[in-house]
Structures are given as structure tokens and as C-alpha cells.
Amino acid sequence: MPASKPLEEAVVQEFAANLRGELMRPEDDGYDATRAVFNGTIDKRPAMIARCAGTGDVVQGVSFARTHDLLLSIHGGGHSVAGNAVSDGGLMLDLSPMKGIRVDPVRRTAQAQAGLTLGEFDHETQAFGLATTLGVVSVTGIAGLTLGGGLGWLNGKHGLACDNLLSADVVTADGRLLTASDEENEDLFWGIRGGGGNFGVATLFEYQLHPVGPVLGGGLRYSAGEARDFLRFYHEFASTCPDELSTAASLGRAPDGSVVVGVAVCYCGSIETGERVLRPLRTFGSPLEDNIQPMSYRALQSAPDAEFPFGRQHYWKSSWLKHLSDEAIEVMLRFVAEMPSLISGVGLQQMHGAASRVDPAATAFPYRDEHYDFLILSQWSDPSDSEENIRWTRAFFEAMQPFFETGVYVNNLGEEGEDRVKEAYGAHYERLVALKDKYDPTNLFRLNQNVRPMAQSGAPS
Ligand SMILES: Cc1cc2nc3c(=O)[nH]c(=O)nc-3n(C[C@H](O)[C@H](O)[C@H](O)COP(=O)(O)OP(=O)(O)OC[C@H]3O[C@@H](n4cnc5c(N)ncnc54)[C@H](O)[C@@H]3O)c2cc1C
């Protein structure tokens, strides 16, 4: 993709003067820190970064990019592994300064600006004993996560993040600010619940909240010797567990190199019932560790943060997995035993209950089923180890192919090509193209898992 053309200085100065937030350029202090994203393999240098102070700045930025034919990227929380929040030579609209949030404890709703992280959002809602489904690592941004679906600890009871969206304010490619909800611009509302940032810049999200906490949360860990039997049992247990319980299994290696299998849980109903529900899981075999206990929802949400520091090298491969067969378990254990980086891991995040019962046609998120979001999450620190880690991840992913369903969760995709993007949107792809034709016919919003408008389909990406 060609970088944007250089602009005359006076034009840039005028744009800067029209912003309430700061316009950064490569020579400015803070430019390198602001262009950096979670995935350290991404090292891109935009020509300009507009640090948006509010919706007005977003409108200015979208119009400026359209008028001057600039490559436009949108930065919410900066945690997408694909790194589309930033480009070489383009304009980045950095929404991370936009952290306003208003909780209405009576209506149990929150209006939240697009620069909030999960932890910041939870901090405000939990002050009223409320929460909604978001992801499981608190430093992630609410914006990218919600627009792609949003799978987290409350999905069994309350659905995905996008299922809890009541409305959103969206700046479209023509610079208009639209409200998308069940009553207004319903087609846009459908599309932004799973279709990512393809249709405009979401500046404000309104969520339904629910009373949540304290929860029964934490995890269990088993040694390699018990891994097979435990995973078999876990699969049976997960497939019959109540909506109040959501789980995530993982495989990794301990600092001494041995394989370790774990499961993390969140029971969001009464603690007493949760203790009863979780007993079979906790009394299976002899866990190396059991730290499941009553805790605040915020404590659970931030528990894994230290395992995902900003700036490490990342390469992910993912797919939906329905049946955790003995053969699949064997492949997983074999590859994890040879995992080149001890800080990598495999996650199986359970999607079930309320999230799986939503009509697949109701939102753009297509994969409504009881299944696992299977993710090989490779991370390492030294860029010179990249080749070995990427090779291992690809070989592992290839070996798992016989066990996968079709499709992938869009928010786990890296730069994996158009076929994988189509797989992520599944049966909704054509409808998303029609929506793209209506709201973004020139593909101004193309730095994302891109749905190309009809006029550009077939053109090289
Ligand atoms: C450590 C870690 C843990 C994760 N855990 C979970 C999890 O538990 N559940 C889950 O569902 N996902 C999870 N994810 C995936 C997560 O949903 C995606 O990485 C998501 O893209 C993060 O959103 P962001 O705003 O931080 O990212 P960004 O990189 O800022 O944005 C990603 C893309 O979203 C679009 N976008 C962002 N903001 C806007 C906006 N305001 N308007 C329009 N488009 C926008 C843009 O296309 C952008 O390129 C996790 C990711 C990481 C790194």
C-alpha cells in the first residue's frame, strides 16, 4: 500500500490549529512512545499522529484524511496483534486520550469513550457493583475489543461485549457523526457488532451493565503427568457448566521447561453455589496449585496483566475449536513440549451460554456456538528469535487443522491475508460488503481486518 503524499507545511499547520488535542510529528517529543503498539514486531512511523481530545478532533481527522487522501489508522487501546492502529507514512487518529465515562447506576448503563482500557472501564463500573462482558486482560482497549465481538469472563451469563452494546456514536467516512442503535442506523449498529472498524470511528459506546461481584475466580494448574486426563475431564465439565461459570484452559511451560496445564475460572453467581459447581473440577487429581477463591471482579480482570507486558514480540494463530478430542490433546501436548519460548502458551477461551444463544443473524459476529477460541499465543523478547518462534507456531497450527471448525475470531487475526479475513466474517461477509458500499465506498477505513467495498473487490490489497 503506498504511503500518503507529503503535504505542504501550511496545510498541516492549519490542521494542527483545528485540533483541541496535539498533532505529533516524527521530530516531536513523545512521538516514539505514542506510535508504539502492544506487539513489538510492529515498528511503523506515521507522518502525523492526532492525539484526539474529543469527537470534534475525530471529525477533523477523518475529514483531513479524506480530503488529502491520507492512509488513515485508528488507535483505540493499541492492543491488536495485527498492529493496524499504526501505519508507515499515514495519519494515526489516537483515541487513547479520550477516557470519559459516565455510569448510570439506576439504569445500569455506561457511556464510555473509545480510549478507555478494560481496567479503566471496570474501575468506574465496579464502584457501583456493576460490570459488563469485556476481555480478560485489563490493559486491552474497549474499542477494538467491542467492535470485533469481545469475549470475556461474563460471556456465559451476559453474552459478548458487542451483545451488551446499546448504542455507539460513529464518525463515518464523510465526516458525519451518526448514532447507531436498534432505533437509529440499525444496519450500521448491526455491522459494528463484530465487523470491527470498517465503517467509521466509534467515539462513544453505551453498554448495558449487570450486578457483578465478588466472583469466585482464579485457577488450577496440573503437571504434565496429569495433563491428558485433566484436559479430557475439563472438556466434559466445560460442556455442561452453567451460564454463571466461564472458563479458559491453557497449556504452557514452567520456568524449568516442564509442561503445565491450567484452567482459569470466573463464577459470577453466588459464591456458595459456585463452590459447589466448581468442586468436581477442583477435586480432580492432584493439582500443583489451586488459587480459586472469592475475589473482586477487578482483581480477576487484572490477574494475568503481568504475563502480557507491552512491547514483546508477538505472533498468533487462532481458530474456533469445538471438540477437544484425545487426538487434539496429543498434538497440543507434543507441540507445547517443544515450544521454543517459555513465555508462549496456548489458550482455549470458552464461549458458551448467553453468548452462544444469540441469533447468528442478530449481529455481524458470525460464530454463535458452544466452542473454544483456540489461540497459539507466541511471544518472545529477542527479535533474533523470531524465525524459530514463527516456524513453530505455523507448524503447530498446521498440525491442529484436522480438529478446527472453519472460521476464526477476527480480533485474534494478524496480517494473514484476505482469505482469512473472509473466514473471520464467515456467512456475513457479503452483507458487510453491502454495508461498506453504503458507509465507506472508497475504503478510507482500510487499516483493519478489511471488508473491501464492491468497487475494490478483486483489486490487489
Ligand atoms: C493481551 C491481550 C489479551 C486479549 N484478551 C482478549 C479477550 O479476553 N477477549 C477478546 O475478545 N479479545 C482479547 N484480545 C484481543 C483484542 O480484542 C484485540 O487485540 C483488540 O483489537 C484490542 O482493541 P484495542 O482497541 O486495544 O486495539 P487497537 O490496536 O487500538 O485497535 C484494533 C483495531 O480496531 C479498530 N479500532 C480501534 N478503535 C477503534 C475505534 N474507536 N473506532 C473504529 N475502529 C477502531 C481499528 O481497525 C484498529 O486497527 C486480547 C488482546 C491482547 C493483546
Side-chain angles (χ1 to χ4, degrees):
M1 202 172 283
S4 310
K5 293 172 241 132
L7 295 171
E8 281 179 26
E9 183 58 22
V11 172
V12 176
Q13 289 299 339
E14 189 187 347
F15 175 48
N18 282 335
L19 296 174
R20 186 156 62 95
E22 183 185 358
L23 184 71
M24 279 186 172
R25 292 196 278 171
E27 59 277 15
D28 291 328
D29 286 349
Y31 168 85
D32 282 326
T34 311
R35 74 183 173 88
V37 291
F38 168 77
N39 183 353
T41 67
I42 311 289
D43 181 21
K44 295 195 174 158
R45 302 181 64 81
M48 286 171 277
I49 302 175
R51 303 213 70 215
C52 297
T55 303
D57 286 353
V58 175
V59 173
Q60 291 287 342
V62 167
S63 301
F64 190 73
R66 189 189 61 247
T67 307
H68 298 286
D69 198 16
L70 304 178
L71 186 57
L72 180 65
S73 71
I74 313 301
H75 180 294
H79 270 66
S80 147
V81 76
N84 282 323
V86 61
S87 74
D88 274 326
L91 169 64
M92 179 207 269
L93 294 190
D94 177 15
L95 273 67
S96 59
M98 292 172 56
K99 292 195 184 290
I101 174 166
R102 177 178 188 273
V103 178
D104 182 336
V106 177
R107 287 177 59 232
R108 292 181 178 160
T109 59
Q111 291 182 311
Q113 282 188 313
L116 289 161
T117 64
L118 274 49
E120 291 160 347
F121 181 95
D122 292 336
H123 177 90
E124 296 298 322
T125 62
Q126 279 284 281
F128 306 96
L130 300 170
T132 200
T133 311
L134 292 168
V136 302
V137 178
S138 82
V139 289
T140 322
I142 64 165
L145 180 129
T146 303
L147 295 168
L151 189 58
W153 287 127
L154 305 178
N155 85 80
K157 182 71 179 161
H158 298 300
L160 301 177
C162 71
D163 300 329
N164 288 282
L165 200 59
L166 299 173
S167 71
D169 287 354
V170 182
V171 177
T172 48
D174 53 11
R176 285 182 301 159
L177 177 67
L178 300 181
T179 297
S181 70
D182 275 336
E183 285 79 40
E184 288 176 83
N185 302 300
E186 300 92 314
D187 57 351
L188 181 60
F189 190 47
W190 179 86
I192 60 167
R193 288 175 293 164
N198 271 289
F199 310 105
V201 187
T203 53
L204 186 78
F205 298 92
E206 184 184 19
Y207 295 92
Q208 184 68 59
L209 304 175
H210 313 274
V212 173
V215 297
L216 192 57
L220 296 163
R221 286 195 315 134
Y222 286 86
S223 65
E226 288 197 278
R228 264 176 205 82
D229 292 343
F230 175 69
L231 284 171
R232 256 185 231 133
F233 175 76
Y234 162 72
H235 181 50
E236 271 175 46
F237 177 84
S239 57
T240 55
C241 79
D243 290 359
E244 285 77 8
L245 179 64
S246 289
T247 67
S250 61
L251 289 88
R253 287 172 71 185
D256 67 1
S258 60
V259 172
V260 180
V261 170
V263 62
V265 302
C266 172
Y267 187 88
C268 65
S270 89
I271 299 290
E272 201 187 346
T273 312
E275 296 277 12
R276 208 167 47 245
V277 168
L278 283 164
R279 194 165 304 130
L281 194 70
R282 300 178 73 182
T283 53
F284 183 88
S286 324
L288 295 172
E289 186 187 1
D290 175 353
N291 63 20
I292 296 174
Q293 57 191 294
M295 60 174 71
S296 74
Y297 178 69
R298 284 180 62 209
L300 179 66
Q301 281 289 78
S302 54
D305 287 1
E307 293 167 42
F308 304 102
F310 197 87
R312 275 185 184 157
Q313 311 284 298
H314 279 261
Y315 184 78
W316 297 7
K317 281 286 189 186
S318 173
S319 197
W320 296 109
L321 178 77
K322 196 169 170 65
H323 300 291
L324 192 50
S325 64
D326 289 356
E327 293 80 6
I329 292 172
E330 287 309 320
V331 172
M332 284 158 53
L333 289 171
R334 177 157 56 86
F335 273 89
V336 171
E338 295 162 1
M339 195 162 79
S341 164
L342 295 185
I343 52 179
S344 294
V346 181
L348 291 93
Q349 196 168 358
Q350 184 190 13
M351 172 171 160
H352 75 127
S356 62
R357 289 192 295 268
V358 173
D359 177 356
T363 69
F365 184 92
Y367 294 109
R368 301 294 182 167
D369 208 338
E370 306 236 331
H371 50 187
Y372 305 102
D373 175 21
F374 175 94
L375 171 66
I376 307 170
L377 190 156
S378 286
Q379 55 172 333
W380 61 99
S381 301
D382 185 345
S384 67
D385 295 334
S386 296
E387 201 184 317
E388 186 188 13
N389 281 284
I390 291 171
R391 196 182 327 112
W392 172 83
T393 312
R394 288 181 175 159
F396 185 4
F397 187 64
E398 198 50 43
M400 287 297 293
Q401 286 302 321
F403 313 112
F404 291 147
E405 298 165 75
T406 49
V408 52
Y409 174 32
V410 70
N411 277 358
N412 288 342
L413 276 182
E415 282 300 326
E416 298 183 39
E418 197 171 355
D419 289 348
R420 287 280 278 165
V421 174
K422 285 185 176 167
E423 272 182 40
Y425 298 123
H428 293 327
Y429 189 74
E430 299 306 320
R431 191 167 163 188
L432 290 167
V433 172
L435 212 54
K436 188 77 174 171
D437 286 346
K438 176 172 173 185
Y439 288 102
D440 186 20
T442 65
N443 211 4
L444 181 67
F445 303 110
R446 60 182 178 275
L447 285 181
N448 45 41
Q449 301 301 342
N450 195 224
V451 175
R452 285 201 279 169
M454 194 59 100
Q456 292 184 11
S457 61
S461 39

